Amino acid sequence: MENVFKMSLFMPPISPIKDKTTGRTVKSATLTPLRTINLEEIYKLITSNEKLTALTLEVRNAALWGDENTSRLLKQQTLPYVTPCGVFTRRRSDCLKEASGLVVVDIDHLESTEEAEILRQELFDDPYLCPALAFISPSGLGVKAFIPHTSEQNATDGIRWAMNYVHCMYDSNHRQPGKGVDTSGKDLVRSCFLCHDEGALLRIKK
């Protein structure tokens, strides 16, 4: 039987939106998921959803013009996101309903979209990682990979293993601050923004 990886889908924003003048919160962060979503649905969303394509273009255009602050805010305020480690009743580590068997690894701040595309394929082809899904990040200069962990590992151990492996095998040249594997989040509820990538790679299990 095919193993269907499931996780929670959240609508934006991932953090509160505040009025620039007063600093008061005008829209609270989304803490409750919209629904449960599987990997094939995510693949279809990021490869063919027109609205997500337009939102991603806005994020990348801001980054292209060097406006990192606007790009970051657009990402946080407009892009949907998922919790790759599983299905949650609320965006909190103690609210896990069903583990997915997946962990996410992020590699950020690459030199070009072309470099990201090459790395996307290299990660997908890695026989030890065997990502279920790999796609270019919202900025266009990074890669996100959803990686299965063994039944002997819990998700936290799986995240540490995957991060360490990717860092050792693919990250050795990135010594500058902020470049390479994003190690900022190792908890179960770590979120992953969804964005358009028509070249996303999905592993079909038979």
Side-chain angles (χ1 to χ4, degrees):
M1 181 181 294
E2 183 178 349
N3 181 13
V4 179
F5 298 111
K6 295 180 180 179
M7 58 198 73
S8 292
L9 173 67
F10 292 78
M11 290 294 99
I14 196 170
S15 55
I17 298 177
K18 297 188 177 182
D19 183 272
K20 293 181 180 178
T21 304
T22 64
R24 300 178 70 175
T25 298
V26 295
K27 189 171 184 179
S28 299
T30 305
L31 299 177
T32 304
L34 175 69
R35 64 183 179 91
T36 298
I37 189 170
N38 65 43
L39 216 55
E40 186 174 349
E41 290 175 307
I42 293 173
Y43 175 77
K44 290 179 180 177
L45 182 63
I46 65 180
T47 55
S48 59
N49 183 274
E50 292 184 0
K51 183 176 180 180
L52 189 59
T53 301
L55 292 172
T56 303
L57 184 60
E58 291 183 8
V59 173
R60 291 182 181 170
N61 281 342
L64 184 64
W65 285 100
D67 192 344
E68 293 296 334
N69 186 55
T70 297
S71 179
R72 177 178 55 82
L73 287 176
L74 284 171
K75 180 175 68 173
Q76 294 176 348
Q77 295 177 4
T78 67
L79 294 183
Y81 59 98
V82 293
T83 47
C85 287
V87 177
F88 291 78
T89 56
R90 190 172 175 83
R91 185 158 58 90
R92 283 186 0 191
S93 295
D94 60 351
C95 293
L96 178 66
K97 180 180 178 182
E98 179 184 350
S100 67
L102 294 173
V103 297
V104 61
V105 169
D106 251 339
I107 297 183
D108 297 321
H109 305 294
L110 301 175
E111 297 300 324
S112 66
T113 299
E114 290 74 21
E115 184 182 357
E117 290 171 348
I118 291 170
L119 183 60
R120 177 186 60 194
Q121 188 68 56
E122 288 178 342
L123 292 175
F124 192 75
D125 291 341
D126 188 293
Y128 292 100
L129 293 175
C130 294
L133 176 69
F135 62 99
I136 306 299
S137 64
S139 69
L141 300 176
V143 180
K144 297 177 183 292
F146 291 4
I147 300 168
H149 60 83
T150 66
S151 57
E152 291 77 23
Q153 291 176 315
N154 58 42
T156 303
D157 290 339
I159 291 171
R160 290 196 183 97
W161 175 85
M163 284 182 176
N164 289 336
Y165 178 83
V166 172
H167 176 71
C168 290
M169 298 299 294
Y170 299 97
D171 202 22
S172 58
N173 293 326
H174 296 139
R175 301 300 184 188
Q176 295 174 324
K179 286 185 178 289
V181 178
D182 178 5
T183 59
S184 61
K186 299 184 179 69
D187 60 335
L188 281 176
V189 78
R190 176 174 179 160
S191 301
C192 176
F193 289 109
L194 300 182
C195 62
H196 177 69
D197 178 11
E198 63 183 5
L201 300 170
L202 176 68
R203 195 174 305 278
I204 303 298
K205 300 193 73 171
K206 298 179 179 180

